[in-house]
Amino acid sequence: MGKRLTQIATRTGDDGTTGLGDNTRVSKASGRPQAMGDVDELNSHIGLLLCEDMPADVRELLVDIQHQLFNLGGELSIPGFELLKDDALAQLDAALARYNAQLPRLEEFILPAGTRAASQAHVCRTVARRAERAVVALGAQDEAVRPAPRQYLNRLSDLMFVLARVLNRHRPDGSLGDDVYWKSERLARGEGDA
């Protein structure tokens, strides 16, 4: 692929429109640019998460996810086009099974807290949910959207929750970390699962 960006400030968006990959222009307030923007924001938050200390296998997974999100954003920018492949979703399913199997069973809801890496993973989780809602809304507007982007974002949000738990346990000094549990009245009364 040749050089794609030769000029960043084109001023063509000054009128409140943006260009899609099929050379059509739409309002920046419409559903497609909203979904594309949410996916781009999610990718940027994952980039920020990658600045933190983490296990090498988690880092490798997140870098690949960034590439898949770029594919997803490209697919959203070209109505009717397919860039996100089925193996991308299969990769998330395999990662979910692998990392979740390593974690203790949850006793209660957890707070989006703990280490900075885990907290950033929770930010990624919530932005993934917002991106998913934007893709669902786009489909509800009779726009051409395949199920794969919606499914990928749904599964990615689940994975980011699991990875936040993994990252709360990863400590460079070798100490064992844990989740930050919500202090519910039920647990305080000793009414845990029987």
Side-chain angles (χ1 to χ4, degrees):
M1 192 176 292
K3 295 178 183 170
R4 298 190 53 99
L5 296 176
T6 56
Q7 186 177 354
I8 300 302
T10 63
R11 295 177 177 76
T12 56
D14 288 351
D15 65 353
T17 65
T18 190
L20 298 179
D22 63 358
N23 294 320
T24 60
R25 295 199 69 78
V26 298
S27 168
K28 290 181 179 181
S30 64
R32 196 164 290 276
Q34 179 67 50
M36 292 162 41
D38 288 346
V39 169
D40 187 33
E41 182 182 350
L42 171 58
N43 210 342
S44 297
H45 276 294
I46 291 174
L48 184 59
L49 173 56
L50 284 164
C51 294
E52 300 296 329
D53 182 66
M54 65 185 63
D57 57 326
V58 173
R59 180 175 303 282
E60 184 179 329
L61 173 64
L62 290 174
V63 168
D64 194 57
I65 287 169
Q66 282 198 299
H67 288 277
Q68 298 300 339
L69 286 173
F70 210 83
N71 288 338
L72 195 158
E75 181 169 324
L76 290 173
S77 77
I78 306 171
F81 198 66
E82 179 183 329
L83 279 172
L84 188 69
K85 304 301 181 198
D86 292 339
D87 60 347
L89 186 60
Q91 178 193 36
L92 295 186
D93 283 333
L96 265 166
R98 174 184 172 200
Y99 290 108
N100 207 31
Q102 301 170 10
L103 295 169
R105 184 173 178 266
L106 282 173
E107 299 172 25
E108 183 56 89
F109 290 108
I110 62 171
L111 298 179
T115 66
R116 191 165 62 180
S119 297
Q120 181 62 27
H122 279 295
V123 171
C124 294
R125 171 184 61 79
T126 61
V127 176
R129 284 288 181 226
R130 178 163 28 95
E132 178 190 4
R133 290 190 301 271
V135 169
V136 168
L138 183 62
Q141 299 166 3
D142 293 328
E143 291 271 358
V145 182
R146 295 183 319 117
R150 180 188 68 243
Q151 294 164 347
Y152 189 85
L153 292 167
N154 180 47
R155 206 78 88 253
L156 180 56
S157 179
D158 293 340
L159 178 61
M160 295 311 300
F161 177 85
V162 169
L163 290 181
R165 297 189 68 208
V166 168
L167 293 170
N168 259 337
R169 283 159 179 74
H170 173 76
R171 304 288 167 94
D173 64 3
S175 65
L176 183 62
D178 197 3
D179 299 305
V180 180
Y181 284 95
W182 171 49
K183 294 179 182 175
S184 74
E185 291 181 23
R186 184 176 63 84
L187 276 184
R189 290 190 306 262
E191 297 175 13
D193 291 341

